[in-house]
Amino acid sequence: MFALHKFPLVSRSGRIRKLVAERRDSENSRIELLSLPGGAESFELAAKFCYGVNFEITSANVAQLCCVSDYLEMTEEFSKDNLGSRAEEYLESVVCKNLEMCVEVLQQCENLLPLADELKIVSRCIDAIASKACVEQIASSFSRLEYSSSGRLHMNRQAKCDGDWWIEDLSALRIDLYQRVITAMKCRGVRPESIGASLVNYAQKELTKKSSLWNPSGQQKVELVAGSSVHERLVVETIVSLLPVEKLAVPINFLFGLLRSAVMLDCSVASRLDLERRIGSQLDIATLDDLLIPSFRHAGDTLFDVDTVHRILVNFSQQDDSEEDMDDASVFESESPPSPSQTALFKVSKLVDNYLAEIAPDANLKLSKFMVIAETLPAHARTVHDGLYRAIDIYLKAHQGLSDPDKKKLSKLIDFQKLSQEAGAHAAQNERLPLQSIVQVLYFEQLRLRNALCSSYADEDQKPVHQSWRISSGALSAAMSPRDNYASLRRENRELKLELARLRMRLNDLEKEHVHMKRDMEKSHSLNFMSSFSRKIGKLNFFGHSSSRGSSSPSKHSQRTDSKVIERT
């Protein structure tokens, strides 16, 4: 309550003049000013101005003075050089010329909305901040221009950028005003890297202010107060909406940190999907710790959020257009959107295999979830299956109650031709694998040994017959380009199909010959025929590579007997 004379107030304020006129015939001289912007502090400054008491207009009180002068109608209509015009002059000539003052005025406007917005105090300060930041950045860029040895101008990337000093100042704003400032900066053309740095700084301050929510390792669950949870949810969703569209504008571990917070705070589905899409587009630079997102659901769920990681992998894989039905020229000469490079696929495949090995010991991890993670990447992403085999072996060891059909289903994920020699030797003795898988391992190991022997006996200028069937490691040469790798795989695939067709025809011939010989054996029970039959079976070789070393030459009698058998068949 203020005890004041009415004449100094009436001479400056239009509102007070009206209120006094309405109560002229009343004995009650008390006036109530409801919803006064800025409260008693603002009214005290206005009263001082009416009484002629000198005080300083600063960035800390100019917003209050503008709002209270508008409320009290302290305009030029009632007095010359009134409070309203004085405050407006200071705002335009002093505050809007200085970025730090604009930020301070915006902080004062947080408690003066919506009147401060109606008077365009907020919009003028935001435009001034965006304009000043853009000018500072341009000036900083010019300072980093240098002449090269050839006399051309170039940007010195190593020089420190001094145009982003405003990042720390903006972190003091409330989230709604901060959003409007960043949006204005984007429209003005401020660099995406600077926008990203500001978002990182703001998120770290706001999300670590009252709780330990911002935990990059994601290992600690925190109990949040309801009000704090609502505020932090708003911060996360707003920052996600402000992220630049450019890749690498913010670090990928920051994106994963936002995603953890979004999952914990149960943010909107749109925000989480946006983060998953952004992470998927640059997943090749992520680490295993980034992918280990803890699950915040009920106690019976898995330790880590497997569903979120699966959606991230789907986003990464969807960049890879289907190339199976296209010829070589169309694959590499098309102008379609860029798909993940072979190098990126290799990196992500190793990352996924390590992730599978990390989550495999979880007793609550279902087989379907494990398999869907392993099958998300295309078949050509893994050139070596050692990591996948290790993860599956860990899963089999931790889930010993799996049925035989489930074990077979899980083992089908492994291409045993792409196991290294060490992994193949381990798999051949692994009792946790199904018997069928062990047989496949032994078969391919035998082929590897046979090819090695063929290579050792072959001349330097002559390639082995089965050299195109590369069983040794399955790894592509790092020096080959993706185009060469793809062409090599296509060529090997054709050669493998031809080889399988030859083996199938050879097997059919042998089956027919066996049937005819069985009929002859039923007709004749002579000892000569039985001995020739045994020698005939001994000469059969399913791979068609009989060696003459160490074998004695057959007798003429056996040759005649063999020729008779062949004529009879």
Side-chain angles (χ1 to χ4, degrees):
M1 181 181 294
F2 293 87
L4 302 171
H5 300 88
K6 64 180 180 180
F7 295 106
L9 300 179
V10 168
S11 63
R12 294 282 189 174
S13 172
R15 178 183 282 265
I16 294 179
R17 181 179 298 184
K18 292 177 184 178
L19 292 175
V20 170
E22 291 173 359
R23 289 172 172 79
R24 179 176 301 175
D25 300 331
S26 175
E27 296 180 358
N28 186 7
S29 60
R30 178 179 297 180
I31 298 176
E32 292 185 3
L33 299 175
L34 302 176
S35 303
L36 182 72
E41 182 181 356
S42 298
F43 183 75
E44 183 180 358
L45 292 176
K48 285 183 178 180
F49 181 82
C50 292
Y51 273 88
V53 178
N54 292 329
F55 63 90
E56 186 179 2
I57 300 178
T58 64
S59 58
N61 61 21
V62 65
Q64 294 179 349
L65 294 176
C66 287
C67 291
V68 74
S69 63
D70 180 79
Y71 178 85
L72 295 176
E73 299 178 11
M74 300 177 68
T75 62
E76 297 297 306
E77 180 183 352
F78 300 100
S79 178
K80 188 178 180 181
D81 290 336
N82 213 340
L83 182 60
S85 59
R86 294 276 189 91
E88 283 290 334
E89 182 182 0
Y90 183 84
L91 184 66
E92 289 291 338
S93 61
V94 179
V95 173
C96 290
K97 305 294 184 182
N98 187 286
L99 191 147
E100 293 176 344
M101 286 187 174
C102 288
V103 173
E104 189 174 357
V105 170
L106 284 180
Q107 286 181 276
Q108 299 299 322
C109 289
E110 293 175 359
N111 300 321
L112 299 173
L113 297 174
L115 183 56
D117 226 346
E118 295 174 1
L119 298 176
K120 298 184 178 180
I121 302 174
V122 175
S123 60
R124 282 182 286 177
C125 289
I126 289 175
D127 290 341
I129 291 174
S131 177
K132 290 294 180 184
C134 189
V135 170
E136 291 279 352
Q137 200 166 78
I138 293 174
S140 176
S141 300
F142 277 120
S143 66
R144 290 188 294 159
L145 288 176
E146 295 179 352
Y147 282 99
S148 62
S149 57
S150 60
R152 294 182 178 181
L153 276 175
H154 71 283
M155 185 74 69
N156 185 2
R157 299 289 182 181
Q158 297 180 353
K160 183 179 179 181
C161 181
D162 298 327
D164 298 339
W165 54 266
W166 45 265
I167 290 176
E168 191 68 26
D169 295 331
L170 294 186
S171 61
L173 294 175
R174 202 170 66 183
I175 184 62
D176 54 340
L177 296 177
Y178 176 79
Q179 180 182 17
R180 295 173 62 177
V181 171
I182 295 298
T183 303
M185 284 186 170
K186 286 184 175 182
C187 295
R188 291 278 184 168
V190 176
R191 283 196 303 263
E193 295 80 6
S194 301
I195 299 292
S198 178
L199 293 172
V200 172
N201 184 71
Y202 190 88
Q204 290 176 345
K205 282 201 168 185
E206 286 297 312
L207 298 178
T208 57
K209 188 179 296 183
K210 297 180 180 179
S211 69
S212 55
L213 171 65
W214 190 257
N215 184 5
S217 62
Q219 300 299 323
Q220 182 181 2
K221 295 184 179 181
V222 294
E223 298 294 334
L224 297 175
V225 183
S228 175
S229 177
V230 172
H231 170 71
E232 289 173 339
R233 185 185 301 119
L234 177 62
V235 170
V236 172
E237 292 177 355
T238 303
I239 289 178
V240 171
S241 67
L242 294 174
L243 288 172
V245 296
E246 292 81 3
K247 285 186 179 180
L248 305 179
V250 294
I252 192 170
N253 58 351
F254 172 71
L255 295 177
F256 274 105
L258 281 178
L259 184 57
R260 287 191 185 93
S261 301
V263 172
M264 176 187 287
L265 296 168
D266 195 21
C267 293
S268 65
V269 176
S271 297
R272 281 181 281 179
L273 292 180
D274 188 17
L275 286 171
E276 291 167 4
R277 179 185 58 80
R278 291 175 182 273
I279 292 173
S281 66
Q282 46 187 320
L283 188 60
D284 54 306
I285 61 175
T287 62
L288 178 59
D289 291 336
D290 293 331
L291 281 183
L292 296 177
I293 304 172
S295 179
F296 300 104
R297 299 177 184 173
H298 54 276
D301 200 6
T302 55
L303 293 175
F304 299 102
D305 194 342
V306 181
D307 296 332
T308 297
V309 174
H310 175 242
R311 289 193 296 270
I312 292 174
L313 290 173
V314 169
N315 279 288
F316 173 80
S317 300
Q318 284 178 348
Q319 300 176 93
D320 191 8
D321 298 327
S322 178
E323 299 175 353
E324 294 180 359
D325 300 331
M326 302 172 65
D327 55 13
D328 295 349
S330 64
V331 168
F332 294 103
E333 294 177 4
S334 64
E335 297 181 356
S336 58
S339 60
S341 64
Q342 196 68 17
T343 304
L345 283 173
F346 293 162
K347 290 181 179 179
V348 174
S349 66
K350 291 181 180 179
L351 179 64
V352 171
D353 292 343
N354 291 333
Y355 177 76
L356 289 172
E358 192 70 26
I359 66 174
D362 188 355
N364 294 325
L365 181 62
K366 296 180 180 179
L367 178 63
S368 58
K369 287 191 174 184
F370 183 89
M371 292 187 64
V372 77
I373 294 292
E375 293 175 334
T376 304
L377 295 179
H380 62 277
R382 293 183 179 92
T383 56
V384 180
H385 275 220
D386 288 10
L388 182 60
Y389 165 71
R390 172 174 167 265
I392 291 177
D393 186 43
I394 294 174
Y395 187 86
L396 291 173
K397 187 176 181 180
H399 301 77
Q400 299 183 2
L402 279 180
S403 61
D404 290 339
D406 288 340
K407 290 183 179 180
K408 291 180 181 179
K409 191 186 303 182
L410 191 60
S411 300
K412 286 181 180 179
L413 297 174
I414 307 174
D415 187 349
F416 293 102
Q417 298 185 56
K418 294 182 179 181
L419 290 181
S420 65
Q421 187 172 357
E422 294 78 7
H426 184 277
Q429 302 176 0
N430 193 345
E431 297 179 354
R432 290 183 286 272
L433 291 177
L435 181 60
Q436 183 179 4
S437 300
I438 297 178
V439 171
Q440 291 182 25
V441 174
L442 293 174
Y443 172 72
F444 290 124
E445 285 296 312
Q446 187 177 13
L447 281 179
R448 179 187 290 121
L449 179 60
R450 182 172 173 274
N451 286 339
L453 291 175
C454 290
S455 299
S456 63
Y457 286 118
D459 295 332
E460 294 183 359
D461 297 334
Q462 183 179 1
K463 294 183 178 180
V465 177
H466 295 279
Q467 188 178 9
S468 62
W469 199 342
R470 299 175 185 173
I471 308 295
S472 60
S473 65
L476 297 176
S477 173
M480 296 175 66
S481 65
R483 182 196 295 262
D484 296 335
N485 286 339
Y486 183 82
S488 176
L489 288 173
R490 291 284 296 269
R491 186 167 54 253
E492 288 186 23
N493 190 28
R494 288 194 295 268
E495 293 173 355
L496 285 173
K497 288 181 179 179
L498 292 174
E499 186 68 22
L500 289 174
R502 294 192 195 101
L503 288 175
R504 193 178 293 110
M505 294 175 60
R506 177 63 175 162
L507 184 61
N508 291 335
D509 293 340
L510 291 174
E511 288 178 350
K512 292 179 182 179
E513 189 173 354
H514 175 68
V515 170
H516 290 305
M517 294 175 68
K518 187 175 181 180
R519 291 176 182 173
D520 292 340
M521 184 178 68
E522 292 175 353
K523 294 179 181 180
S524 175
H525 297 282
S526 62
L527 294 176
N528 291 335
F529 182 79
M530 291 300 296
S531 61
S532 65
F533 176 78
S534 62
R535 283 193 298 273
K536 183 69 177 179
I537 293 299
K539 292 179 181 180
L540 292 180
N541 189 339
F542 284 83
F543 291 99
H545 290 277
S546 60
S547 177
S548 61
R549 298 186 181 184
S551 62
S552 60
S553 61
S555 63
K556 296 180 179 180
H557 177 72
S558 63
Q559 290 177 356
R560 288 193 301 269
T561 305
D562 291 343
S563 62
K564 291 179 181 180
V565 172
I566 294 173
E567 291 175 0
R568 191 181 298 112
T569 58

